[in-house]
Amino acid sequence: MIKSAQHLDTFIQNAFIAAGANKQHAAMAAEALVAADLRGVDSHGIARLGGYIRLWQQARLNMRPNIRVEHETPSTALVNGDLGAGLIVAQKAMDIAIDKANNVGTGWVGVKNSNHFGIAGYHAMKALKHDMIGICMTNTSALVAPTFSSERLLGTNPIAVAIPADKEPPFVMDMATTPAANGKLEVCERQNKDIPEGWAQTKNGDPTTDNRALKNGGAMLPLGSDREHGSHKGYCLGAWVDIFSAVLSGANYGPWVPPFVSFLTPPPNPVGDGIGHFIGAMRIDAFRPANEFKTHMDNWIKTFRQSQHIKGQPTVQIPGDQERIIENERLANGISIHPTIVNELNELSRILHIQQL
């Protein structure tokens, strides 16, 4: 099924409102989820909607959160998300970071008691229109084994950075600290495809291409896959995100991070509150005139994009290029939704008494 971005946006808003969210929060959540579908991150778009609703049904997600600042300085803040959807909480946190950056040059916000927030890049990109660099990261439930371990201790823990340019499109890096996000394993399972080598290991620590590896007790691997290919570096990146997002804010970290899926219960004896994020905004003119910086970003981008590419390979892209190309195509031609997701969403519409997708 192919639907327009506006159609998906309306469906998501209706679902959140039916679950008790106010119109502002429903619109914020819908925009964040549709942004993922538009940018080609299908695993984090409307396919995730049912997950939020099921968490709400189990009282593990608050549709009317009192998102509030618990502590702050001129350049920092600690935000309590009141167990709200991270789609909304993270946007509020970035707004606070931008306000602080406007006042003192940079703004840094730690978030606790939140939930899954969609794609990190969406939140980082909110800083671009303010001539700021946006940074966003979050920890997630433990699916990843550190190098040399068979135990799940870290999440896929994504990092995003959005940097404005002048005439060129912005530089937007949005990456998991694993070879792939967990949602891509779910996509492979829906399509009955093997996962690539280096994504996961069995419960005994052996390499596997089984798309059900996690369901069979295995673990995802850090970026780099194994020690010889630098998995210790991916492990370090994931650990950094976990510490900044949760140990710093007072959220749950490591194996205590609550799972997004409703059929798994949160780990006992939590060490913090909910899921954590770390969000920042840096005003470019706190370092140098913004127009000068953006002119040099244009030059940087063109230099890399025009570099000599290997024969038989595509031309070099800048982080964000591929997502921007997909977004333009999907805005023009619509977004294809997998039949399994369509069936799930139509069942959801029956439960919530809203119009079908």
Side-chain angles (χ1 to χ4, degrees), residues 36-320:
D37 281 316
L38 282 173
R39 293 178 67 80
V41 193
D42 298 338
S43 57
H44 284 56
I46 197 170
R48 289 284 184 189
L49 176 60
Y52 293 101
I53 300 301
R54 287 187 289 272
L55 287 179
W56 162 72
Q57 289 173 324
Q58 293 189 1
R60 288 171 53 189
L61 187 150
N62 183 3
M63 285 292 181
R64 291 276 181 168
N66 174 24
I67 302 167
R68 58 197 182 274
V69 173
E70 289 195 343
H71 176 75
E72 64 181 324
T73 72
S75 63
T76 66
L78 172 64
V79 167
N80 186 326
D82 196 24
L83 210 59
L87 301 165
I88 300 157
V89 177
Q91 292 190 61
K92 296 282 190 179
M94 178 54 86
D95 287 342
I96 293 168
I98 289 169
D99 284 344
K100 289 184 175 294
N102 272 323
N103 291 328
V104 296
T106 65
W108 305 99
V109 180
V111 180
K112 67 177 181 178
N113 208 14
S114 186
N115 217 300
H116 191 279
F117 73 8
I119 56 171
Y122 169 79
H123 305 293
M125 290 174 70
K126 289 176 70 69
L128 293 173
K129 63 183 178 182
H130 300 277
D131 273 351
M132 296 182 187
I133 294 171
I135 299 173
C136 182
M137 59 185 77
T138 184
N139 68 350
T140 61
S141 57
L143 297 172
V144 182
T147 302
F148 302 139
S149 176
S150 61
E151 185 178 359
R152 301 177 183 180
L153 290 176
L154 289 171
T156 55
N157 295 4
I159 305 168
V161 178
I163 305 173
D166 184 18
K167 296 180 175 59
E168 295 293 327
F171 174 109
V172 182
M173 182 198 84
D174 185 357
M175 54 173 262
T177 52
T178 51
N182 178 40
K184 292 188 177 180
L185 273 74
E186 296 171 352
V187 171
C188 287
E189 184 178 355
R190 283 198 297 270
Q191 297 175 349
N192 196 29
K193 293 181 178 178
D194 286 344
I195 60 174
E197 292 183 8
W199 280 19
Q201 65 185 21
T202 69
K203 63 181 179 181
N204 296 321
D206 298 319
T208 183
T209 59
D210 181 7
N211 60 41
R212 294 179 59 84
L214 298 186
K215 294 182 178 178
N216 292 330
M220 296 187 71
L221 295 168
L223 188 64
S225 300
D226 56 38
R227 179 63 175 81
E228 288 69 27
H229 294 91
S231 67
H232 58 294
K233 298 178 181 180
Y235 165 35
C236 288
L237 286 171
W240 168 47
V241 173
D242 199 38
I243 293 167
F244 268 46
S245 297
V247 180
L248 188 61
S249 69
N252 288 292
Y253 49 82
W256 290 279
V257 180
F260 177 71
V261 291
S262 59
F263 58 83
L264 294 176
T265 57
N269 306 314
V271 292
D273 297 318
I275 286 175
H277 319 312
F278 186 77
I279 291 170
M282 298 189 295
R283 208 173 72 208
I284 290 167
D285 65 6
F287 299 89
R288 67 183 298 193
N291 61 333
E292 290 182 9
F293 171 85
K294 292 195 292 183
T295 297
H296 280 278
M297 275 302 301
D298 278 1
N299 186 47
W300 189 98
I301 289 168
K302 286 186 287 187
T303 299
F304 278 78
R305 190 178 284 132
Q306 295 169 3
S307 66
Q308 183 67 45
H309 65 280
I310 299 169
K311 185 177 180 180
Q313 297 297 325
T315 56
V316 174
Q317 291 188 329
I318 301 305

